[in-house]
Amino acid sequence: MRALPRLAIAALLVAIPAAAVTVTVAAHAADDPTPITVLTSDFEDGTVQGWSGRSAETVAHSTAQAHGGTGSLLVSGRTAAWQGPSLDVLGTFEKGTAYTISVWVRMASGSDNARLSVERRAGGVAAYDQVVGNTAVTSGSWVNLTGRYTLASDVEFLRVYVETSSTTGSLHIDDVTASYVPALPIQTGIPSVKDVVTEFPVGAAITGAEIVTEHGQLLNKHFDSVTPGNALKWDATEPSENNFTYAQADPLMAYAKANNLAVRGHTLVWHNQTPSWVFTGADGQPMTATAEDKELLLARLENHIRNVAAHYGTDIGVWDVVNEVIDESQSDGNRRSSWYNVTGLDYIRTAFRVAREVAPHAKLCINDYNTNVAAKRDHLFNLVSTLKAEGVPIDCVGHQMHINVNWPTIADTESMLTKFIPLNIDQQITEMDVSIYTSNSENFTTPPADRLLKQAYVYRDMFALFRKYPAEITSVTLWGLADDNTWLDTFPVTRKDAPLLFDTRLQAKQAYWGVVDPSKIETSPSPSSPSASVSTSVSPSVSVSPSASVSPSTGTSACAVTYRITGSWPGGFQGEVKVGNTGTTALTGWNLNWQFTGGQKITQLWGGSPVQTGAAVTVTNASWNGNLPAGGSTTFGFLGSWTGTNPVPAAFTVNGTACAVL
Ligand code: XIL
């Protein structure tokens, strides 16, 4: 139901009094996806509404600029880029709840990049979480920063703040809001993925807050293993030379241990998320292929692996020792990273040798993406063959499997697996997700039903393939737990993606059923996606173009409605409704009404705009299918939820007139 939440947010914001307030709406149905606003600062009352600076900068109410209304907050006298407006949200933000924070920013003069962050302190130690990264801001217009934030641990200090990246000019902020969609309990009555897929352990990558509240329950219910998504990378564990810190990873590791989850260690050596000091020579210059630089870099590498792998000992049973070393656009297949440029292939040899010494119990993997692409696969195969022949202790090949609903084919994926069988090593699927997008230019605010269906087929077919190779595949890990937290929301472009088995409210998707019980997936022909419907302008069954001149109707035409359930699975279903004009006058717009008698709820609809109040549903035509000539018809589709029974509605009206039910 796309239109409803937006209207509801707008209504809520309008209703909020002008002062800085913390609003908690108590009476809220647990399954209602309408966001609840917990803070709003509009600076319309002439005060700073609780905001202050982060140090000695001046914070004042201002009428020089306003995003909405007549007031904003002005921060001046900044002497460092990190200084900026900040608000206490301790007691406002609860642990484990994902808040969407939005702030409008405008420079008073000049331009810079602005960031939105949260500072939290526990036991007197501060940590800084970026909510929205560098975003260009100027004095010419307001810029919105919106991001999601989930507090993962207990704190004694919690403030949101805006800072800039380089200059110290004055800046305005306005119309700040934070809201959340109430969590739904996880579904406990459905099979656990790990109980259904028994050929190998199944895991999920997590990036922090997935170990608290409902996320933790979902993780425990469905998965055998966990991969810290960022917490074991070099920038997290050794941010400056020989200064090892495990503040990010230790809570995840403790959780894994307490909950009997195996851990994949990701990753010891990569070209990304590695601090620049690593590649800076003793002379302060970027390293080059000299003997001194090579020696220093390999020594740093050895020191890093010795410390990190030793810190966790046998708690980590598998390590991605090196990550993404192949570049198939190079004729030799070797990625020209700083690692390679300075040491050749010796960084890989050193990494595996040291990892084996420090973690002799652990499976040691070489991990890469697009290994289903023949050229990449073959370079990886050749490299592993060569290194293994030299005695480099590589135990496993990790296939990341960041794929999408259209790509790759099962055949190519099977060739990827069979290629490595002669090497007699383990294979692991390490970072699987299935994007709903097939190009960088697509952008859906809500995942279209046909993409989710395709995705379910992909998960079904890929898991069926993996399960054919139980002797080779020793684990399958998904790169995330649920669609509310996926790296694909910002990669390769910023847009909402939905690549995992559980939706943004942690409920099982068709993708989940694709893995767990494909007989429960929708089997009728794919519905058309909203974008496909829009691009055809008119539904194929409408016989006039939107511009055809028809005489307006007051809605007295006779009508016929066909309501079909085209697919059904536990808790969800897909429907199709045909609206026919059987009268003698053309309709220039239609409103279809019915009552659900089984407590069903529409969750998404294409080809019209739905409003549901309790059992009563009203669907209004989309812009392109409102014209229904006499004898014409149009069809729209929807997804809904149900429990118990899912009866077909008995009666329909179009523009207030009762229709024949066909
Ligand atoms: C991603 C993380 O999920 C993001 O949070 C981070 O910002 C960038 O890295 N291949 C890998 C993973 O091996 O480490 C990457 O993880 C995704 C691509």
Side-chain angles (χ1 to χ4, degrees), residues 473-491:
I473 295 183
T474 52
S475 75
V476 173
T477 294
L478 301 174
W479 204 244
L481 181 65
D483 289 345
D484 66 331
N485 184 11
T486 162
W487 76 300
L488 294 178
D489 284 353
T490 52
F491 181 90

Side-chain angles (χ1 to χ4, degrees), residues 229-230 233 266 270 273 323-324 367 400 402 431 479 487:
N230 287 316
K233 290 174 181 170
H266 175 84
W270 194 21
Q273 292 175 270
N323 195 31
E324 303 183 350
N367 191 46
Q400 292 187 3
H402 293 292
E431 305 183 15
W479 204 244
W487 76 300

Side-chain angles (χ1 to χ4, degrees), residues 491-509:
F491 181 90
V493 295
T494 298
R495 61 187 170 189
K496 186 70 200 116
D497 208 332
L500 299 163
L501 302 185
F502 300 95
D503 67 18
T504 55
R505 303 191 76 199
L506 314 188
Q507 308 299 296
K509 295 163 62 185

Side-chain angles (χ1 to χ4, degrees), residues 1-17:
M1 257 224 266
R2 304 248 325 94
L4 264 186
R6 288 223 195 98
L7 289 175
I9 301 170
L12 193 58
L13 294 183
V14 168
I16 284 168

Side-chain angles (χ1 to χ4, degrees), residues 93 209 220 303-304 326 362 433 452 454 637:
F93 285 9
N220 290 358
N303 187 50
H304 181 77
I326 301 293
D433 47 22
L452 294 177
K454 267 190 174 173

